[in-house]
Amino acid sequence: MILVKTFFAENPLRNYSYLISESESGEAWAIDPFEASPLVEYIKKNGLVLKGILNTHQHWDHVQGNTPLGQAFDVPVRRLKNSDALRLSEEYTLEALDTPGHTLDHQAFVWKIKGEPHALFSGDTLCNSGVGNCRGGR
Ligand SMILES: [Fe+2]
């Protein structure tokens, strides 16, 4: 089973970070870590094995937790190519989808179960206060 832990940062930008973990292996991936410490605490408390960090795009409010989180568990930041998929378990994958607009390099991640879309991590393509702005790549 896949567990998705959501971390909400109380700031004017209302950032969300995610930790996706597979319950049997304990392997986990972080998406857009804004603040590292809540994720570090959760990973340690639950005995998870962080495999890497993914970012939807390079705006500071999506990457500022990369360095402290990566250093805490000695894991890399991964950049996937369009349609590349991480295998989370036998049935679950996380597939990268290029979604240029908010920034030129923006990606969303599609969580699939047995190849069928189940959930979308949309980054700033869709924001919780409206659609993401398109600034032409900044
Ligand atoms: Fe952004």
Side-chain angles (χ1 to χ4, degrees):
M1 178 174 26
I2 296 293
L3 302 173
V4 178
K5 172 69 175 167
T6 302
F7 299 86
F8 179 69
E10 296 285 346
N11 68 21
L13 296 173
R14 302 162 65 194
N15 285 83
Y16 286 94
S17 303
Y18 303 96
L19 190 70
I20 301 169
S21 61
E22 203 285 314
S23 58
E24 289 187 31
S25 69
E27 294 182 351
W29 288 85
I31 298 177
D32 288 349
F34 176 72
E35 297 172 317
S37 57
L39 281 80
V40 170
E41 184 177 314
Y42 183 86
I43 290 165
K44 289 181 176 177
K45 179 180 175 186
N46 291 283
L48 300 176
V49 179
L50 187 66
K51 301 297 286 183
I53 300 165
L54 301 170
N55 295 117
T56 56
H57 63 298
Q58 298 302 308
H59 283 161
W60 69 270
D61 59 321
H62 291 258
V63 302
Q64 81 167 8
N66 282 2
T67 299
L69 182 60
Q71 289 176 345
F73 298 100
D74 194 25
V75 297
V77 175
R78 290 273 312 271
R79 171 76 183 174
L80 303 177
K81 293 179 183 170
N82 188 45
S83 301
D84 278 358
L86 298 173
R87 178 171 290 281
L88 304 173
S89 74
E90 192 71 28
E91 299 178 348
Y92 303 105
T93 57
L94 194 63
E95 183 176 309
L97 178 65
D98 285 349
T99 53
H102 179 69
T103 62
L104 291 177
D105 66 345
H106 198 290
Q107 288 189 318
F109 301 103
V110 183
W111 172 17
K112 292 185 174 181
I113 302 175
K114 296 182 180 176
E116 295 296 320
H118 181 69
L120 178 71
F121 299 90
S122 63
D124 283 354
T125 297
L126 300 172
C127 294
N128 57 11
S129 58
V131 297
N133 56 42
C134 294
R135 295 181 178 164
R138 287 183 291 147

Coordinates of all heavy atoms in Angstrom, one line a residue, residues 34-86:
F34 N 9.5 21.9 1.3 CA 9.7 23.3 1.6 C 10.5 23.5 2.9 O 11.5 24.2 3.0 CB 8.3 24.0 1.8 CG 8.3 25.4 2.2 CD1 8.8 26.4 1.3 CD2 8.0 25.8 3.5 CE1 8.8 27.7 1.7 CE2 8.0 27.1 3.9 CZ 8.4 28.1 3.0
E35 N 10.0 22.8 3.9 CA 10.7 22.7 5.2 C 11.2 21.3 5.4 O 10.4 20.4 5.4 CB 9.8 23.2 6.4 CG 9.4 24.6 6.2 CD 8.3 24.9 7.3 OE1 7.4 24.1 7.5 OE2 8.4 26.0 7.8
A36 N 12.5 21.1 5.6 CA 13.0 19.7 5.8 C 12.7 19.1 7.1 O 12.4 17.9 7.2 CB 14.5 19.7 5.5
S37 N 12.7 19.9 8.2 CA 12.6 19.3 9.5 C 11.3 18.4 9.7 O 11.5 17.3 10.3 CB 12.8 20.3 10.6 OG 11.9 21.3 10.5
P38 N 10.2 18.9 9.3 CA 9.0 18.0 9.5 C 9.1 16.6 8.8 O 8.7 15.6 9.3 CB 7.8 18.8 9.0 CG 8.3 20.2 9.0 CD 9.8 20.1 8.8
L39 N 9.7 16.7 7.6 CA 9.9 15.5 6.8 C 10.9 14.6 7.5 O 10.7 13.3 7.6 CB 10.3 15.8 5.4 CG 9.1 16.2 4.4 CD1 8.8 17.6 4.6 CD2 9.5 15.9 3.0
V40 N 12.0 15.1 7.9 CA 13.1 14.4 8.6 C 12.5 13.7 9.8 O 12.7 12.5 10.0 CB 14.3 15.3 9.0 CG1 15.2 14.5 9.9 CG2 15.0 15.8 7.7
E41 N 11.8 14.4 10.6 CA 11.2 13.9 11.8 C 10.2 12.7 11.5 O 10.2 11.7 12.1 CB 10.4 15.0 12.6 CG 9.8 14.6 13.9 CD 9.2 15.8 14.6 OE1 9.8 16.9 14.6 OE2 8.0 15.6 15.1
Y42 N 9.4 12.9 10.5 CA 8.4 11.9 10.1 C 9.1 10.6 9.6 O 8.7 9.5 9.9 CB 7.4 12.4 9.1 CG 6.3 11.5 8.7 CD1 5.2 11.4 9.4 CD2 6.5 10.7 7.5 CE1 4.1 10.5 9.0 CE2 5.5 9.8 7.2 CZ 4.3 9.7 7.9 OH 3.4 8.8 7.5
I43 N 10.1 10.8 8.8 CA 10.8 9.7 8.2 C 11.5 8.9 9.3 O 11.4 7.6 9.3 CB 11.9 10.2 7.2 CG1 11.2 10.7 5.9 CG2 12.9 9.1 6.8 CD1 12.1 11.5 5.0
K44 N 12.1 9.5 10.2 CA 12.8 8.8 11.4 C 11.8 8.2 12.3 O 12.0 7.0 12.7 CB 13.7 9.8 12.1 CG 14.9 10.3 11.4 CD 15.8 11.2 12.2 CE 17.1 11.6 11.4 NZ 17.9 12.5 12.2
K45 N 10.7 8.9 12.6 CA 9.7 8.3 13.5 C 9.1 7.1 12.9 O 8.8 6.1 13.7 CB 8.6 9.4 13.8 CG 7.5 8.9 14.7 CD 6.5 10.0 14.9 CE 5.3 9.6 15.7 NZ 4.2 10.6 15.7
N46 N 8.9 7.0 11.6 CA 8.2 5.9 11.0 C 9.2 4.8 10.4 O 8.8 3.9 9.7 CB 7.3 6.4 9.9 CG 6.1 7.1 10.6 OD1 5.2 6.5 11.1 ND2 6.1 8.4 10.6
G47 N 10.5 5.0 10.6 CA 11.5 4.1 10.1 C 11.5 3.9 8.6 O 11.8 2.8 8.1
L48 N 11.2 5.0 7.9 CA 11.2 5.0 6.4 C 12.6 5.1 5.8 O 13.5 5.5 6.5 CB 10.3 6.1 5.9 CG 8.8 6.0 6.3 CD1 8.1 7.2 5.8 CD2 8.2 4.7 5.9
V49 N 12.7 4.7 4.6 CA 14.0 4.8 3.9 C 13.8 5.7 2.7 O 13.2 5.4 1.7 CB 14.4 3.4 3.3 CG1 15.7 3.5 2.5 CG2 14.5 2.4 4.4
L50 N 14.3 6.9 2.9 CA 14.1 7.9 1.8 C 15.1 7.6 0.7 O 16.3 7.4 0.8 CB 14.5 9.3 2.4 CG 14.2 10.5 1.4 CD1 12.7 10.6 1.1 CD2 14.7 11.8 1.9
K51 N 14.5 7.5 -0.5 CA 15.2 7.1 -1.7 C 15.7 8.3 -2.5 O 16.6 8.2 -3.3 CB 14.4 6.2 -2.6 CG 13.9 4.9 -1.9 CD 15.1 4.0 -1.5 CE 15.7 3.4 -2.8 NZ 16.8 2.5 -2.4
G52 N 14.9 9.4 -2.4 CA 15.3 10.6 -3.2 C 14.3 11.7 -3.1 O 13.2 11.5 -2.4
I53 N 14.6 12.8 -3.8 CA 13.8 14.0 -3.7 C 13.4 14.4 -5.2 O 14.3 14.4 -6.0 CB 14.5 15.2 -3.1 CG1 14.9 14.8 -1.6 CG2 13.7 16.4 -3.1 CD1 16.0 15.7 -1.0
L54 N 12.1 14.7 -5.4 CA 11.7 15.2 -6.7 C 11.2 16.6 -6.5 O 10.6 16.9 -5.4 CB 10.5 14.3 -7.2 CG 10.9 12.8 -7.4 CD1 9.6 12.1 -7.7 CD2 11.9 12.6 -8.5
N55 N 11.3 17.4 -7.5 CA 10.8 18.8 -7.5 C 9.9 19.0 -8.7 O 10.3 18.6 -9.8 CB 11.9 19.8 -7.5 CG 12.7 19.8 -6.2 OD1 13.9 19.5 -6.2 ND2 12.1 20.0 -5.1
T56 N 8.8 19.7 -8.5 CA 8.0 20.0 -9.7 C 8.6 21.1 -10.5 O 8.4 21.2 -11.7 CB 6.6 20.4 -9.3 OG1 6.7 21.5 -8.3 CG2 5.8 19.2 -8.6
H57 N 9.3 22.0 -9.8 CA 10.0 23.1 -10.5 C 11.0 23.7 -9.5 O 11.1 23.3 -8.4 CB 9.1 24.1 -11.1 CG 8.2 24.8 -10.1 ND1 7.3 24.2 -9.3 CD2 8.1 26.2 -9.8 CE1 6.7 25.1 -8.5 NE2 7.2 26.3 -8.8
Q58 N 11.8 24.7 -10.0 CA 12.9 25.2 -9.2 C 12.6 26.4 -8.4 O 13.6 27.1 -8.0 CB 14.1 25.4 -10.2 CG 14.5 24.1 -10.9 CD 14.9 23.0 -9.9 OE1 15.7 23.3 -9.0 NE2 14.3 21.9 -10.0
H59 N 11.4 26.9 -8.3 CA 11.2 28.0 -7.4 C 11.6 27.7 -6.0 O 11.3 26.6 -5.5 CB 9.7 28.5 -7.5 CG 9.4 29.2 -8.8 ND1 8.1 29.3 -9.2 CD2 10.2 29.8 -9.6 CE1 8.1 30.1 -10.3 NE2 9.4 30.4 -10.6
W60 N 12.1 28.7 -5.3 CA 12.7 28.5 -4.0 C 11.7 27.9 -3.0 O 12.2 27.1 -2.1 CB 13.2 29.9 -3.4 CG 12.1 30.8 -3.0 CD1 11.5 31.7 -3.8 CD2 11.4 30.9 -1.8 NE1 10.5 32.4 -3.2 CE2 10.4 31.9 -1.9 CE3 11.5 30.2 -0.6 CZ2 9.5 32.2 -0.9 CZ3 10.6 30.5 0.5 CH2 9.7 31.5 0.3
D61 N 10.5 28.2 -3.1 CA 9.5 27.7 -2.2 C 9.2 26.2 -2.4 O 8.4 25.6 -1.7 CB 8.2 28.5 -2.1 CG 7.5 28.6 -3.4 OD1 8.2 28.7 -4.5 OD2 6.3 28.6 -3.4
H62 N 9.8 25.6 -3.4 CA 9.6 24.2 -3.7 C 10.9 23.4 -3.5 O 10.9 22.2 -3.5 CB 9.1 24.0 -5.1 CG 7.6 24.4 -5.3 ND1 6.6 23.6 -5.3 CD2 7.1 25.7 -5.3 CE1 5.5 24.3 -5.4 NE2 5.8 25.6 -5.4
V63 N 12.0 24.1 -3.4 CA 13.3 23.4 -3.3 C 14.1 23.7 -2.1 O 15.2 23.1 -1.9 CB 14.2 23.7 -4.6 CG1 13.5 23.3 -5.9 CG2 14.6 25.2 -4.6
Q64 N 13.6 24.7 -1.3 CA 14.5 25.1 -0.2 C 14.8 24.0 0.8 O 15.8 24.1 1.5 CB 14.0 26.3 0.5 CG 12.9 26.1 1.5 CD 12.6 27.3 2.4 OE1 13.1 28.4 2.2 NE2 11.8 27.2 3.4
G65 N 14.0 23.0 0.9 CA 14.3 21.9 1.8 C 15.2 20.8 1.2 O 15.5 19.8 1.9
N66 N 15.5 20.9 -0.1 CA 16.3 19.9 -0.8 C 17.6 19.6 -0.1 O 17.9 18.4 0.2 CB 16.6 20.3 -2.2 CG 15.5 20.1 -3.2 OD1 14.4 19.8 -2.8 ND2 15.7 20.5 -4.4
T67 N 18.4 20.6 0.2 CA 19.7 20.4 0.8 C 19.7 19.8 2.1 O 20.3 18.7 2.4 CB 20.6 21.7 0.7 OG1 20.7 22.1 -0.6 CG2 21.9 21.5 1.3
P68 N 19.0 20.3 3.1 CA 19.0 19.7 4.4 C 18.3 18.3 4.4 O 18.8 17.4 5.2 CB 18.2 20.7 5.3 CG 17.5 21.6 4.4 CD 18.2 21.6 3.1
L69 N 17.3 18.1 3.6 CA 16.7 16.8 3.6 C 17.6 15.8 2.9 O 17.8 14.7 3.4 CB 15.3 16.8 2.9 CG 14.6 15.5 2.8 CD1 14.2 15.0 4.2 CD2 13.3 15.7 1.9
G70 N 18.2 16.2 1.8 CA 19.2 15.3 1.1 C 20.3 14.9 2.0 O 20.8 13.8 2.0
Q71 N 20.9 15.9 2.7 CA 22.0 15.7 3.6 C 21.6 14.8 4.8 O 22.4 14.0 5.2 CB 22.6 17.0 4.1 CG 23.3 17.7 3.0 CD 23.8 19.1 3.4 OE1 23.4 19.6 4.5 NE2 24.7 19.7 2.6
A72 N 20.4 14.9 5.3 CA 20.0 14.1 6.5 C 20.0 12.6 6.2 O 20.2 11.8 7.0 CB 18.6 14.6 6.9
F73 N 19.7 12.3 4.9 CA 19.6 10.9 4.5 C 20.5 10.5 3.4 O 20.5 9.3 2.9 CB 18.2 10.5 4.2 CG 17.2 10.8 5.3 CD1 16.4 11.9 5.3 CD2 17.1 9.9 6.3 CE1 15.6 12.2 6.4 CE2 16.2 10.1 7.4 CZ 15.5 11.2 7.4
D74 N 21.4 11.4 3.0 CA 22.4 11.1 1.9 C 21.7 10.6 0.7 O 22.0 9.5 0.2 CB 23.5 10.1 2.4 CG 24.6 10.1 1.5 OD1 24.9 11.1 0.8 OD2 25.3 9.0 1.4
V75 N 20.7 11.4 0.2 CA 20.0 11.0 -1.0 C 20.0 12.1 -2.0 O 20.2 13.3 -1.6 CB 18.5 10.6 -0.7 CG1 18.4 9.4 0.2 CG2 17.8 11.8 -0.1
P76 N 19.9 11.8 -3.3 CA 20.0 12.8 -4.3 C 18.6 13.5 -4.6 O 17.6 12.9 -4.3 CB 20.5 12.0 -5.5 CG 19.8 10.7 -5.3 CD 19.8 10.4 -3.8
V77 N 18.7 14.6 -5.3 CA 17.6 15.2 -6.0 C 17.6 14.6 -7.3 O 18.6 14.6 -8.0 CB 17.7 16.7 -6.1 CG1 16.5 17.3 -6.9 CG2 17.7 17.3 -4.7
R78 N 16.4 14.0 -7.7 CA 16.3 13.4 -9.0 C 15.5 14.2 -10.0 O 14.5 14.8 -9.6 CB 15.6 12.0 -8.9 CG 16.4 11.0 -8.2 CD 17.4 10.2 -9.1 NE 16.7 9.7 -10.3 CZ 16.1 8.5 -10.5 NH1 16.1 7.7 -9.4 NH2 15.6 8.2 -11.6
R79 N 15.9 14.3 -11.2 CA 15.1 14.9 -12.3 C 14.8 13.9 -13.3 O 15.7 13.2 -13.8 CB 16.0 16.1 -12.9 CG 15.4 16.6 -14.2 CD 14.2 17.6 -13.9 NE 13.7 18.1 -15.1 CZ 12.6 18.8 -15.2 NH1 12.0 19.2 -14.1 NH2 12.1 19.2 -16.4
L80 N 13.5 13.6 -13.5 CA 13.1 12.6 -14.4 C 12.8 13.2 -15.7 O 12.4 14.4 -15.8 CB 11.8 11.9 -13.8 CG 11.9 11.3 -12.4 CD1 10.5 10.7 -12.0 CD2 13.0 10.2 -12.4
K81 N 12.9 12.4 -16.8 CA 12.5 12.8 -18.1 C 11.0 12.6 -18.2 O 10.4 11.8 -17.5 CB 13.3 12.0 -19.2 CG 14.8 12.3 -19.2 CD 15.5 11.5 -20.2 CE 17.0 11.7 -20.2 NZ 17.7 10.8 -21.0
N82 N 10.5 13.3 -19.2 CA 9.0 13.2 -19.4 C 8.7 11.7 -19.7 O 9.4 11.0 -20.4 CB 8.6 14.0 -20.7 CG 7.1 14.0 -20.9 OD1 6.4 14.2 -19.9 ND2 6.7 13.8 -22.1
S83 N 7.7 11.2 -19.0 CA 7.2 9.8 -19.1 C 8.0 8.8 -18.3 O 7.7 7.6 -18.3 CB 7.0 9.4 -20.5 OG 6.1 10.2 -21.2
D84 N 9.2 9.2 -17.8 CA 9.9 8.3 -16.9 C 9.1 8.0 -15.7 O 8.4 8.9 -15.2 CB 11.2 8.9 -16.4 CG 12.3 8.8 -17.5 OD1 12.1 8.2 -18.5 OD2 13.4 9.3 -17.2
A85 N 9.2 6.8 -15.2 CA 8.4 6.4 -14.0 C 9.3 5.7 -12.9 O 10.2 4.9 -13.3 CB 7.3 5.5 -14.4
L86 N 9.0 6.1 -11.7 CA 9.6 5.4 -10.6 C 8.7 4.3 -10.2 O 7.5 4.5 -10.1 CB 9.8 6.4 -9.4 CG 10.7 7.6 -9.6 CD1 10.6 8.5 -8.3 CD2 12.1 7.1 -9.8

